[in-house]
């Protein structure tokens, strides 16, 4: 049996995480603190009873502060054809188009944050937040969920990818 050091370096952790495929999500929020959205990779289901998801956002970031203040967020799992939507919400085009929502098909959900058309949507009320390291973990009780019925856009090793079925 191989033995490994139990104190992973930051670089080793990042290198290993690059080899974990994940769905590409855009987290949106809206309310008294304003509307904002950001592309996020750290998203997971937590519980079906009650329906709960979590997202991890960099502590102190604009999206983090606005989710905390607004008390609502929506996780939009992008479909594989939505690579441009993912790029728009990374902030890549903020200089030319500061409103990341411009040109996006929005799904209005009163009292919740807007969903993005064509995405699988989990609209949440903030249930709890926990700061850990450089990020804040937001637990959201899902108030509304629906599926796009499309394969998700994925991210792996620094690039957007499509799912491919493997032989049985």
């Amino acid at each position: 049996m191989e033995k490994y050091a139990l104190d992973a370096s930051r670089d080793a952790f990042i290198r290993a995480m690059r080899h974990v495929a994940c769905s590409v999500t855009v987290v949106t929020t809206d309310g008294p603190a304003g509307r904002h959205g950001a592309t996020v990779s750290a998203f997971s289901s937590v519980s079906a009873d009650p329906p709960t998801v979590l997202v991890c956002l960099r502590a102190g970031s604009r999206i983090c502060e606005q989710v905390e203040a607004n008390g609502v967020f929506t996780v939009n799992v992008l479909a594989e054809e939505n690579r441009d939507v993912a790029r728009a919400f990374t902030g890549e085009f903020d200089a030319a188009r500061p409103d990341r929502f411009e040109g996006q098909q929005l799904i209005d959900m009163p009292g919740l944050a807007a969903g993005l058309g064509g995405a699988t949507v989990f609209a949440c009320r903030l249930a709890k937040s926990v700061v850990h390291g450089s990020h804040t973990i937001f637990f959201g009780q899902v108030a509304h969920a629906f599926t796009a019925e499309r394969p998700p856009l994925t991210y792996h090793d620094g690039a957007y990818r499509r799912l491919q079925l493997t032989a049985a």
Side-chain angles (χ1 to χ4, degrees), residues 71-118:
V72 295
F73 65 90
T74 295
V75 179
N76 300 276
V77 181
L78 300 182
E80 64 184 11
E81 65 270 13
N82 293 135
R83 180 175 176 237
D84 290 341
V85 175
R87 291 179 62 210
F89 281 92
T90 65
E92 180 178 346
F93 308 113
D94 281 0
R97 193 177 61 200
D99 180 2
R100 295 178 184 180
F101 291 88
E102 182 182 326
Q104 303 297 336
Q105 178 188 357
L106 300 179
I107 302 161
D108 185 41
M109 295 176 281
L112 300 166
L116 297 176

Side-chain angles (χ1 to χ4, degrees), residues 85-164:
V85 175
R87 291 179 62 210
F89 281 92
T90 65
E92 180 178 346
F93 308 113
D94 281 0
R97 193 177 61 200
D99 180 2
R100 295 178 184 180
F101 291 88
E102 182 182 326
Q104 303 297 336
Q105 178 188 357
L106 300 179
I107 302 161
D108 185 41
M109 295 176 281
L112 300 166
L116 297 176
T120 293
V121 172
F122 300 88
C124 304
R125 290 186 179 86
L126 181 58
K128 178 181 179 179
S129 63
V130 177
V131 177
H132 184 82
S134 61
H135 283 66
T136 301
I137 306 161
F138 290 99
F139 294 87
Q141 187 160 344
V142 179
H144 190 63
F146 56 90
T147 179
E149 300 286 340
R150 297 178 182 160
L153 180 64
T154 58
Y155 191 77
H156 174 260
D157 198 20
Y160 295 115
R161 312 278 182 168
R162 293 176 186 256
L163 290 179
Q164 182 177 337

Side-chain angles (χ1 to χ4, degrees), residues 6 25 28-29 40 46 49 65 77 97 103 113 115-116 121 147:
L6 297 179
T25 65
T28 57
T29 189
V40 173
V46 175
D49 299 308
E65 290 175 355
V77 181
R97 193 177 61 200
L116 297 176
V121 172
T147 179

Side-chain angles (χ1 to χ4, degrees), residues 25-91:
T25 65
V26 169
V27 173
T28 57
T29 189
D30 199 358
R35 181 173 78 165
H36 192 49
T39 302
V40 173
S41 59
F43 155 71
S44 180
S45 69
V46 175
S47 170
D49 299 308
T52 307
V53 298
L54 69 77
V55 294
C56 300
L57 305 174
R58 179 173 281 289
S61 67
R62 182 169 43 156
I63 187 73
C64 180
E65 290 175 355
Q66 287 179 296
V67 165
E68 188 77 52
N70 289 335
V72 295
F73 65 90
T74 295
V75 179
N76 300 276
V77 181
L78 300 182
E80 64 184 11
E81 65 270 13
N82 293 135
R83 180 175 176 237
D84 290 341
V85 175
R87 291 179 62 210
F89 281 92
T90 65

